[in-house]
Amino acid sequence: MKNLVSMQDLSIDEISIILERAEMLKRFGIRELPKKYFVSNLFFEPSTRTKMSFEMAERKLGLETIPFDAGFSSALKGESLYDTLRTLEEIGLDAVVIRHPEERYYEGLIGKTNMAIINGGDGSGQHPSQSLLDLFTIKEEFGRFHGLNVLIAGDIAHSRVAKSNAAALTKLGANVTFLGPSEWAGEFPSVNDWDGMLDTSDVIMLLRVQNERHDGTTKFTKEEYHERFGLTVERERKMKPGSIIMHPAPVNRDVEIAGSLVECERSRIYKQVENGVYIRAAILETVLHKEESAWENSSKVHTY
Ligand code: CP
């Protein structure tokens, strides 16, 4: 794997190799790679988790992270993303993590640079590193994907997390269902009430309401949204025994999830953040240093 841009590109075996490597790194620790690599995190949209956990993984792997501030870069003078990447390649970078508001920004870039490209989120398109850390968290909990009932609830149309996870979880044999306002369903057929969802779902994955991607005509107040589509305290009480709550975060407390549930016993929201560092280290190893990731040597056939 040279680049990681979309979960749709990954086979079950490719997903499995990254999950297994992350598991090893979590068990035995992230070690410095034997060779020096230079990377940069190019974030043209806000981020806390993705940017900081890539940076933490890079430091633990002993990579040299060259700072990039989109607000003070020549992108502000009109330089294209392609020209920015060609420039960074000539400067000597080996890999870039990119978050960009334009969906599929990477399509014109793959194959035109020798640097590895890791997609840290493209508009409402894909968020593969988030999906892999979500899969890692689910596997840690249940040890399998096949037959699991996963409910993805909220602002589906604007969510790159929903699209990445729908593709990956379906490929791995989970039953994925969607819940949310019909005007935010996008390409996914979704239900708009919780009847029959709470006591059957193994995972309830809530999505952030992405106000910044709406056109200002949102018809719900926060209270109305929470009452109709949010995970309320009453709904949590009816969840299936052993089921878990996930959310990619940041969380709008008391909108998609009651504030008091963010750190409740079922919640794996901060576990997802912790797992993000191991997944991102596994991704960086995989694209930069195949010998270390065991990517080349794996011939195992994975089933879930
Ligand atoms: N989940 C996620 O992508 O969070 P950030 O926007 O903080 O990176």
Side-chain angles (χ1 to χ4, degrees):
M1 190 175 77
K2 173 75 202 295
N3 306 292
L4 175 64
V5 293
S6 169
M7 289 306 285
Q8 271 153 351
D9 299 339
L10 294 188
S11 67
I12 292 177
D13 278 355
E14 287 171 324
I15 292 171
S16 303
I17 291 167
I18 295 174
L19 298 186
E20 283 169 16
R21 184 62 189 166
E23 200 178 316
M24 294 288 282
L25 295 176
K26 189 166 182 179
R27 194 179 302 169
F28 300 110
I30 301 171
R31 300 211 192 110
E32 292 194 6
L33 296 179
K35 195 178 150 199
K36 199 183 195 75
Y37 293 98
F38 293 90
V39 300
S40 193
N41 304 313
L42 317 184
F43 278 65
F44 298 91
E45 268 192 350
S47 168
T48 298
R49 277 145 285 273
T50 311
K51 188 164 188 283
M52 298 289 278
S53 57
F54 264 114
E55 198 163 324
M56 179 61 84
E58 288 156 10
R59 288 177 189 222
K60 289 191 172 195
L61 288 167
L63 309 181
E64 293 285 347
T65 304
I66 307 290
F68 177 88
D69 183 343
F72 278 89
S73 74
S74 287
L76 289 190
K77 300 177 213 165
E79 187 167 54
S80 70
L81 190 53
Y82 171 76
D83 287 336
T84 302
L85 292 198
R86 279 291 296 117
T87 302
L88 298 182
E89 182 176 11
E90 292 304 323
I91 288 170
L93 271 81
D94 298 295
V96 284
V97 180
I98 305 176
R99 172 171 289 188
H100 200 280
E102 189 186 322
E103 229 169 280
R104 297 176 173 270
Y105 69 80
Y106 47 79
E107 279 186 344
L109 305 173
I110 300 293
K112 293 191 177 161
T113 168
N114 287 321
M115 293 187 300
I117 296 177
I118 301 169
N119 182 10
D122 59 300
S124 298
Q126 287 278 312
H127 195 348
S129 67
Q130 177 72 44
S131 176
L132 286 162
L133 76 87
D134 291 343
L135 297 178
F136 184 44
T137 306
I138 293 171
K139 185 165 178 244
E140 218 171 41
E141 194 71 33
F142 298 98
R144 69 189 167 93
F145 298 101
H146 201 270
L148 281 183
N149 295 325
V150 180
L151 176 69
I152 302 182
D155 186 356
I156 297 156
H158 301 102
S159 173
R160 48 199 176 207
V161 177
K163 285 166 201 147
S164 299
N165 277 333
L169 284 163
T170 304
K171 205 178 292 188
L172 292 164
N175 308 311
V176 184
T177 315
F178 302 90
L179 180 149
S182 47
E183 50 273 64
W184 295 347
E187 67 200 84
F188 300 103
S190 67
V191 296
N192 55 20
D193 71 56
W194 287 89
D195 276 355
M197 296 293 155
L198 296 164
D199 58 351
T200 54
S201 299
D202 298 293
V203 177
I204 294 185
M205 184 181 290
L206 302 158
L207 302 171
R208 183 173 68 84
V209 175
Q210 305 211 9
N211 294 307
E212 74 276 22
R213 299 191 204 280
H214 297 163
D215 59 8
T217 58
T218 306
K219 63 179 196 183
F220 308 105
T221 63
K222 289 177 181 177
E223 293 75 19
E224 283 165 353
Y225 184 89
H226 186 58
E227 191 46 45
R228 288 186 60 189
F229 304 108
L231 188 65
T232 60
V233 170
E234 293 71 31
R235 289 184 180 126
E236 186 274 337
R237 289 198 190 113
K238 295 179 190 157
M239 282 177 67
K240 183 177 175 180
S243 61
I244 61 169
I245 299 166
M246 298 176 72
H247 189 309
V251 171
N252 294 309
R253 284 178 183 250
D254 300 319
V255 182
E256 56 264 7
I257 180 170
S260 62
L261 297 180
V262 171
E263 294 186 68
C264 74
E265 207 180 321
R266 283 186 203 282
S267 171
R268 298 295 179 271
I269 295 173
Y270 283 101
K271 177 65 71 185
Q272 289 171 264
V273 176
E274 179 196 353
N275 285 343
V277 177
Y278 300 106
I279 278 291
R280 286 166 177 136
I283 292 168
L284 287 159
E285 280 187 347
T286 301
V287 299
L288 284 170
H289 200 81
K290 293 187 172 56
E291 299 84 341
E292 206 67 27
S293 70
W295 187 264
E296 299 288 79
N297 303 323
S298 177
S299 57
K300 201 165 145 189
V301 175
H302 298 84
T303 50
Y304 289 104

